[in-house]
């Protein structure tokens, strides 16, 4: 029994007393207690691969702030790591892979990892966190999108210009599609296993879809997001009977709605709203009002304050949060329903926890203008 | 007398026998002859501040490829440098300023630089290049946009998250507006001086406008782009008599149309088309067809191949160029008029000159589908 189900109610576009919020990368280096746990663990990966430590850092922001959801502490690259690519973090740099995927022969070596063994530590973390949450708020599971995972797998790490994977898109599209197919299968199995382990909502992070030209976004990113939205079991629908389609799909586990988040996905909101996902997460380069108008109430929306707003004064933060909440409601018949407040991207290590507190207070206290 | 005026004709939306093209950062490190000149000069800034060397590298890509325009070789940060901020380049890093602008007191120390002395080297470079071009193709002058210059002035260099200038936007908007006002005056004076020195078209690079949320883009970037479009003299209109408004504005110099380029400006194309600028330059995250439909033929369009397309095979490059050209024409009544082909952003040092040659050939040889 959830003590606070506002987040799930908002994803179902049911009425809520205040707009729920969580923050991408809410468990992170801006919190001194996170840095302490990480120091004890020895490294980021050691922490992410230890279910008890992953649980500890997942819960840390909830001890400080009355956030309306927890999100599994993990890395978006666990799936390619389990596929055998060898994830590591070089000092002061982003994630890297020991082995890259550059040819059809490389792709053919890849398979969907076994969730019960190779990704067992993730499922254990989900179970432990769910237990330790004790129904305070729902737990979100997540995965990188197929395109975003493929970017790291082909480039071997982060990239400024995505030269290698874009070359593959132009010169060997069949190789890239083969890679995206196996990755999509793995993402679906991964999200399904997280749901069965206890995740109550599932988010796909398409961090790098926005670097593509529109025709390539549709071919290499959106197509596989739609496939996930169509194929991913969600579990028994709330209030459903076994005769329902949703009930037939998921024999075990609770209903877990799917959120498709993408940086730079604003040009494609209509298409994402028609994907079959329950919600779309947006960055700050489109207003919530415009996003609501363009998605027509077909999905819940999640977002979208510029994370840099947290560098503003508490008064500035409250003003910007109010603007976003009112903007959504004005396009939604004066109602806050169907909106999960969030940032448009993850938090940064130099952000001030006091400012996060100010944001949470502002969102929870806000009364919709004119309502 | 211009031997090749296709670029200017396209900006005027007059008929052209083939779509003209130039490439952002066409003079650059991907060319061995550029690297040789730079080695002789000793540094990037020494090269940019020497009119003969700036002319040399400006002309280099034209010796290799039948490009339809030349662009002044310079840096977008010459104006803040001339305002006294002390531009320098640390080894292997981007541009930096010795002094930053963080307060109203800092802003109040700034003035519009004297174009005849403090930025004389730029005007001399324009004159020398114009003379050495001998009418082969038109010469483009340029400036950073007020917002983009302010980003560097406030941050003191490049930034991942623009924390300092965004804090200023939220906490001290009047300080930021004061900075943008003096910078706008300086940009207008700078572009006007380039026109009088011989530039035949003028481009404003709003590299960082796209990092802003829509309401902040309109307040801090677009407003000043519109001011430039409204206030910048363009010189005597082609075929105009002294009684014309354009003739009255610019007593000297030729007519030089204004191009507003912005990375991430796709959400604002309607507003940019109504700004008074003759052309809008776009990046690759919007299709040319959509851009043409949304701007309604009010302006010429420039763009917009993803620079990473140059990592594709020559066949792939030709296919992508044809797609872009056809996409524009299909939305433009089957005509190529009003389109200047370009990349959606600058070239990178690791690009292959042979691939640039393939792109230029493909654009020039392309026959519009169905035309």
């Amino acid at each position: 029994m959830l003590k606070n189900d506002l987040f799930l109610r908002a994803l179902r576009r049911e009425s809520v007393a205040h707009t729920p919020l969580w923050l991408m990368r809410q468990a992170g280096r801006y919190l001194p207690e996170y840095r302490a746990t990480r120091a004890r663990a020895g490294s980021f990966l050691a922490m992410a691969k230890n279910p008890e430590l992953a649980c500890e850092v997942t819960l840390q922001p909830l001890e400080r702030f009355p956030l309306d959801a927890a999100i599994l502490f993990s890395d978006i690259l666990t799936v390619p790591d389990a596929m055998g690519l060898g994830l590591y973090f070089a000092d002061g740099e982003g994630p890297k892979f020991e082995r890259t995927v550059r040819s059809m022969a490389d792709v053919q070596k890849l398979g969907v990892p076994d969730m019960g063994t190779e990704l067992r530590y993730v499922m254990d973390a989900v179970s432990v966190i769910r237990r330790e949450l004790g129904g305070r708020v729902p737990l979100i599971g997540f995965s990188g999108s197929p395109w975003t995972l493929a970017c790291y797998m082909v480039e071997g790490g982060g990239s400024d210009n995505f030269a290698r994977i874009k070359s593959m898109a132009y010169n060997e599209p069949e190789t890239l599609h083969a890679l995206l197919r196996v990755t999509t299968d793995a993402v679906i199995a991964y999200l399904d296993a997280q749901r069965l382990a206890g995740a109550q909502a599932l988010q796909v992070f398409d961090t790098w879809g926005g670097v593509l030209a529109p025709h390539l976004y549709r071919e290499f990113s959106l197509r596989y997001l739609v496939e996930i939205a169509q194929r991913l079991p969600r579990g028994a629908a709330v209030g459903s009977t076994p005769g329902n389609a949703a009930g037939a799909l998921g024999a075990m586990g609770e209903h877990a709605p799917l959120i498709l988040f993408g940086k730079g996905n604003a040009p494609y909101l209509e298409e994402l709203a028609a994907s079959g996902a329950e919600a779309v997460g947006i960055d700050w380069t489109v207003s919530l009002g415009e996003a609501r108008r363009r998605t027509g109430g077909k999905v819940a929306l999640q977002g979208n304050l510029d994370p840099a707003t947290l560098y503003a004064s508490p008064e500035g933060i409250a003003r910007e949060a109010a603007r976003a909440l009112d903007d959504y409601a004005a396009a939604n018949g004066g109602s806050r329903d169907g909106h999960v407040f969030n940032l448009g991207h993850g938090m940064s290590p130099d952000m001030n926890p006091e400012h996060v507190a100010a944001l949470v207070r502002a969102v929870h206290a806000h009364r919709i203008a004119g309502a």
Side-chain angles (χ1 to χ4, degrees), chain A residues 138-199:
Chain A
L139 174 60
I140 307 167
F142 74 92
S143 172
S145 74
W147 164 257
T148 295
L149 297 181
C151 284
Y152 289 98
M153 296 165 88
V154 173
E155 300 288 340
S159 175
D160 285 337
N161 58 10
F162 300 91
R164 289 199 177 89
I165 193 165
K166 287 183 176 178
S167 300
M168 190 186 277
Y170 293 124
N171 297 338
E172 288 189 64
E174 63 293 344
T175 301
L176 184 51
H177 280 301
L179 171 58
L180 291 164
R181 276 194 299 271
V182 66
T183 307
T184 298
D185 289 344
V187 166
I188 290 171
Y190 186 55
L191 291 171
D192 194 39
Q194 290 184 47
R195 182 181 60 79
L196 293 172

